[in-house]
Amino acid sequence: MQNGYGIYMRESTPLQQDYVFEKLRFRHNEKLANWIFEEMQGGKLIYPHEGLTKAQFVIDKIRDLNEFSEEALRYAVYQSHYYRLVDIDKARKDLQNFSVGGNFIKIIDGHTWKISSGRRHMIDQEYADFSLERIYGARILTKKNKGVIGMFAPWMLMTSEDEPGIVDFEPLRSQYEVDSVSSRSGISLLNMFITQKVPDFY
């Protein structure tokens, strides 16, 4: 099995033209893949504190669900560019016309899956003494400035002028006087040139 990460991209800004993006090309083959897998101890060195494997059976169940809670519907509508929050009944009606694995989607009051308190406690124990700074040697700093403006997450940015759902989006708190991820990246890069220092994690 192979897993990958998705990055939210805008059509007008290809990742290949991003000045802070780097890519490494190499010829992939089974021997190299097995060597990497063994060197990383089957992924344990990449995700040494992955506790959700203890809830894999729940994750697998969610993947094939056709029944979703009202809470999940509200969350989906909030993140939708198409539906406004006041259009939740229309979204519910439209979803009833879709099916998953031949079964039509249903919106119910409760949740169709559950993680017991004992299992939650077991997962929490995986991170009880976890310290990113101590284990990975990373230095994490935060800045608290008064009067900072909000910043929109990439998924909140419009792709067209006619997207009614964006009226509900609330900007995230920003540590810089910027309104987008690209502006923040530019400021960080400029600061690195001026100070000649690699920035800490924020």
Side-chain angles (χ1 to χ4, degrees), residues 139-186:
R139 186 181 176 204
I140 302 176
L141 303 175
T142 58
K143 294 180 179 180
K144 295 182 179 180
N145 300 325
K146 294 182 179 180
V148 297
I149 61 176
M151 180 177 68
F152 285 98
W155 63 267
M156 295 180 178
L157 303 179
M158 289 192 300
T159 54
S160 68
E161 295 182 0
D162 184 21
E163 293 183 342
I166 65 167
V167 299
D168 300 312
F169 295 160
E170 297 179 3
L172 306 175
R173 292 285 294 172
S174 173
Q175 302 296 343
Y176 301 92
E177 296 293 335
V178 296
D179 59 1
S180 70
V181 174
S182 58
S183 297
R184 184 178 66 178
S185 298

Side-chain angles (χ1 to χ4, degrees), residues 23-177:
K23 59 183 177 182
L24 176 64
R25 292 180 179 271
F26 60 92
R27 190 175 297 280
H28 192 70
N29 57 60
E30 185 177 353
K31 182 178 179 180
L32 175 62
N34 287 331
W35 178 81
I36 295 174
F37 183 78
E38 292 171 1
E39 285 292 305
M40 295 295 103
Q41 296 180 11
K44 292 181 180 179
L45 295 184
I46 301 176
Y47 303 106
H49 295 86
E50 179 53 78
L52 293 183
T53 54
K54 294 180 172 58
Q56 187 63 46
F57 70 100
V58 176
I59 297 173
D60 292 339
K61 185 176 181 180
I62 294 174
R63 182 178 56 193
D64 299 324
L65 280 180
N66 69 299
E67 293 185 348
F68 301 91
S69 67
E70 285 285 342
E71 180 184 0
L73 175 64
R74 287 194 300 271
Y75 179 78
V77 170
Y78 169 68
Q79 294 216 349
S80 168
H81 283 228
Y82 183 78
Y83 296 104
R84 299 172 299 168
L85 289 177
V86 295
D87 299 328
I88 192 168
D89 288 334
K90 182 179 185 305
R92 182 185 290 106
K93 183 177 180 180
D94 290 345
L95 280 173
Q96 292 174 350
N97 295 323
F98 289 91
S99 64
V100 177
N103 298 312
F104 285 101
I105 291 178
K106 299 178 182 178
I107 305 299
I108 60 177
D109 292 332
H111 293 281
T112 57
W113 54 270
K114 179 181 178 181
I115 298 180
S116 66
S117 58
R119 188 170 294 274
R120 286 200 304 269
H121 177 73
M122 183 170 57
I123 294 173
D124 290 342
Q125 288 300 109
E126 293 281 330
Y127 304 94
D129 300 319
F130 179 76
S131 168
L132 193 67
E133 294 182 330
R134 174 172 52 83
I135 294 177
Y136 294 104
R139 186 181 176 204
I140 302 176
L141 303 175
T142 58
K143 294 180 179 180
K144 295 182 179 180
N145 300 325
K146 294 182 179 180
V148 297
I149 61 176
M151 180 177 68
F152 285 98
W155 63 267
M156 295 180 178
L157 303 179
M158 289 192 300
T159 54
S160 68
E161 295 182 0
D162 184 21
E163 293 183 342
I166 65 167
V167 299
D168 300 312
F169 295 160
E170 297 179 3
L172 306 175
R173 292 285 294 172
S174 173
Q175 302 296 343
Y176 301 92
E177 296 293 335

